[in-house]
Amino acid sequence: MARMRLSQSTTMILRSLLRWPLRSFLTSLGLALAVASVIASLFMNDALDVIVDLAFFQTNRQDAILLFADDVPESALEDIRRLPGVLQAESQQFHAAKLRNGHLEKRVAVEARRPGADLSRVLDTDGNPLTAPPGGLLLSERLARQLGVEDGGLVEVEFLTGKRETHNLYVTGVVKQHLGLGAYVDLEYINSIFRQAPQFSTANVTLDDSQIEALHKEIKEIPRLTGIIEMTVNRRSFQDTIEENILVMNTVYIVIALLITVGVTYNAARIQLSERARELASLRILGFGRGEVSYILVGELMLIALIAQPFGWLIGAWIAQAMTNAFTSDLYAIPLVLKLHTFATGSLVVLCASFASAMVVRRRLDRLDLVAVMKTRE
């Protein structure tokens, strides 16, 4: 039982916390908010990583997209496969359309692809590939909600390209996605409702990087080809922009967290040193070493900082959830992605800043004039 007894210095720390509970709580709350600000900024990194990975590396895995002015016969896909550097080619159609359900209307691009497409896929938020069932539309959850339809409902689709016809199509599925207002159909099905032979308007391709220049020269001779979108370049540009913006945002939030931490900890330490100067000086006179006396001052502050951590995690998670709700729009939804390293980083930043601030005040304790302090009245 004697070994389990707390040391006199630790007992003094706990007694001080209980003596001033409101001040201890407010100090802990300030440090918790500092932790939360770091978590709120870092969570966005992981959320955007998920979105970028789904949008640019899992959904759209092609190296380039060939765009045609008009729909071309499916047989032209073989000509594309014979182009220099083309390793794989898949057909796809895009049709601008107005989707209506009663008075509700939304203008979107209807995408048509073959089942089992590998280069341009439809994925849900968990990364599971989906195929648009024949005989209707597969809608993103956000688009279905805005149109007020559910799985099995009927939607009027006015196509603004191709034959420019209007058809009533059933909603054969609803998928939850992070980006865009997606509307998807089976490629053979859309060819059938347009009463036309198999056609496509874009071709997704993978490329041999060593033959890019030869490909650019060759595609200039292809009739009705309006352009090429190099997805590799787009991915790199998008990632660079995201990383630059994230770096600025993280820097701002971490600086704010450091300022909060330094301000709260330093002020708390100065107040404690001012109030307990006689007590600490008495301990030195009674034979306590500098380390033991410093432990009382610094230990109390670090104990408050440790108590603040779980509260900071909870507040940070709540702020992250609020941010995902606030940033959700017609075009995208930010996923709530909270990883262990996000919480660990937030705690590490605040604990290190707290310790550094406490050590600055500790230097004043080392230079304390014991005789002068003991002469002062409380």
Side-chain angles (χ1 to χ4, degrees):
M1 294 295 295
R3 293 182 179 180
M4 297 178 60
R5 184 177 300 173
L6 297 176
S7 66
Q8 187 173 1
S9 300
T10 303
T11 302
M12 294 177 67
I13 291 173
L14 297 177
R15 187 189 308 131
S16 177
L17 293 179
L18 295 175
R19 183 181 179 185
W20 305 102
L22 180 60
R23 185 172 68 188
S24 300
F25 169 76
L26 293 177
T27 302
S28 181
L29 177 61
L31 297 177
L33 293 175
V35 175
S37 68
V38 178
I39 293 173
S41 67
L42 295 182
F43 113 89
M44 190 64 73
N45 294 20
D46 298 325
L48 290 178
D49 284 343
V50 170
I51 292 177
V52 170
D53 181 59
L54 281 173
F56 287 97
F57 295 96
Q58 295 191 48
T59 299
N60 296 295
R61 306 196 291 180
Q62 66 274 60
D63 294 326
I65 303 174
L66 302 181
L67 306 176
F68 293 87
D70 302 302
D71 290 353
V72 296
E74 188 79 14
S75 58
L77 196 62
E78 292 302 322
D79 297 331
I80 293 174
R81 292 191 175 105
R82 288 193 290 267
L83 290 172
V86 174
L87 305 176
Q88 188 178 1
E90 292 179 352
S91 58
Q92 190 173 357
Q93 285 185 24
F94 287 91
H95 293 281
K98 291 182 180 179
L99 275 59
R100 299 189 185 93
N101 178 36
H103 68 284
L104 300 174
E105 177 181 293
K106 206 71 180 178
R107 181 166 179 163
V108 298
V110 177
E111 302 179 29
R113 51 173 62 80
R114 291 192 177 279
D118 183 59
L119 300 182
S120 177
R121 307 185 297 172
V122 180
L123 301 180
D124 61 17
T125 53
D126 296 323
N128 301 314
L130 302 173
T131 298
L137 283 169
L138 175 65
L139 300 181
S140 66
E141 183 184 58
R142 196 177 300 105
L143 178 57
R145 184 170 59 250
Q146 292 184 20
L147 291 173
V149 296
E150 298 178 350
D151 191 357
L154 196 64
V155 175
E156 180 184 289
V157 182
E158 179 186 350
F159 290 98
L160 306 177
T161 57
K163 294 185 179 296
R164 298 180 178 272
E165 298 175 347
T166 299
H167 297 270
N168 292 318
L169 304 180
Y170 284 100
V171 177
T172 52
V174 176
V175 55
K176 188 175 182 179
Q177 296 179 309
H178 292 309
L179 293 176
L181 300 175
Y184 313 98
V185 295
D186 179 73
L187 186 60
E188 292 186 1
Y189 174 67
I190 202 168
N191 284 325
S192 68
I193 65 174
F194 284 161
R195 304 169 307 281
Q196 63 186 15
Q199 296 181 1
F200 65 94
S201 57
T202 65
N204 302 301
V205 298
T206 55
L207 302 173
D208 180 354
D209 293 338
S210 64
Q211 299 190 53
I212 295 294
E213 292 185 9
L215 173 66
H216 280 279
K217 293 179 181 179
E218 191 74 21
I219 62 177
K220 293 179 181 178
E221 307 301 325
I222 300 178
R224 290 189 288 181
L225 181 68
T226 59
I228 178 172
I229 300 175
E230 297 188 25
M231 295 297 293
T232 303
V233 176
N234 287 350
R235 291 187 188 102
R236 189 180 303 115
S237 176
F238 185 81
Q239 284 185 299
D240 290 343
T241 302
I242 288 294
E243 289 173 2
E244 181 180 347
N245 292 334
I246 286 296
L247 177 62
V248 172
M249 184 182 72
N250 286 349
T251 301
V252 170
Y253 275 90
I254 289 176
V255 168
I256 291 174
L258 290 174
L259 291 176
I260 294 174
T261 303
V262 171
V264 170
T265 307
Y266 184 79
N267 286 335
R270 286 295 306 274
I271 291 172
Q272 287 190 38
L273 181 60
S274 176
E275 290 181 344
R276 305 178 66 181
R278 283 177 59 88
E279 179 184 357
L280 298 176
S282 299
L283 293 176
R284 289 291 310 281
I285 294 173
L286 291 174
F288 280 69
R290 287 185 176 181
E292 293 175 295
V293 176
S294 299
Y295 168 72
I296 295 174
L297 179 66
V298 177
E300 180 176 341
L301 293 172
M302 295 311 297
L303 178 59
I304 292 175
L306 288 173
I307 294 173
Q309 300 311 302
F311 296 105
W313 300 337
L314 291 174
I315 296 172
W318 178 81
I319 293 175
Q321 178 66 69
M323 290 174 68
T324 60
N325 296 334
F327 291 157
T328 297
S329 69
D330 287 352
L331 298 178
Y332 60 85
I334 301 296
L336 180 62
V337 181
L338 293 172
K339 297 185 178 180
L340 183 61
H341 70 81
T342 301
F343 295 97
T345 302
S347 293
L348 183 62
V349 168
V350 171
L351 289 175
C352 289
S354 298
F355 182 74
S357 301
M359 293 305 291
V360 170
V361 178
R362 177 197 174 281
R363 295 182 61 187
R364 292 175 174 267
L365 183 61
D366 291 341
R367 296 194 298 267
L368 205 62
D369 187 338
L370 302 182
V371 176
V373 170
M374 293 303 297
K375 287 182 178 180
T376 58
R377 297 181 178 181
E378 295 194 13

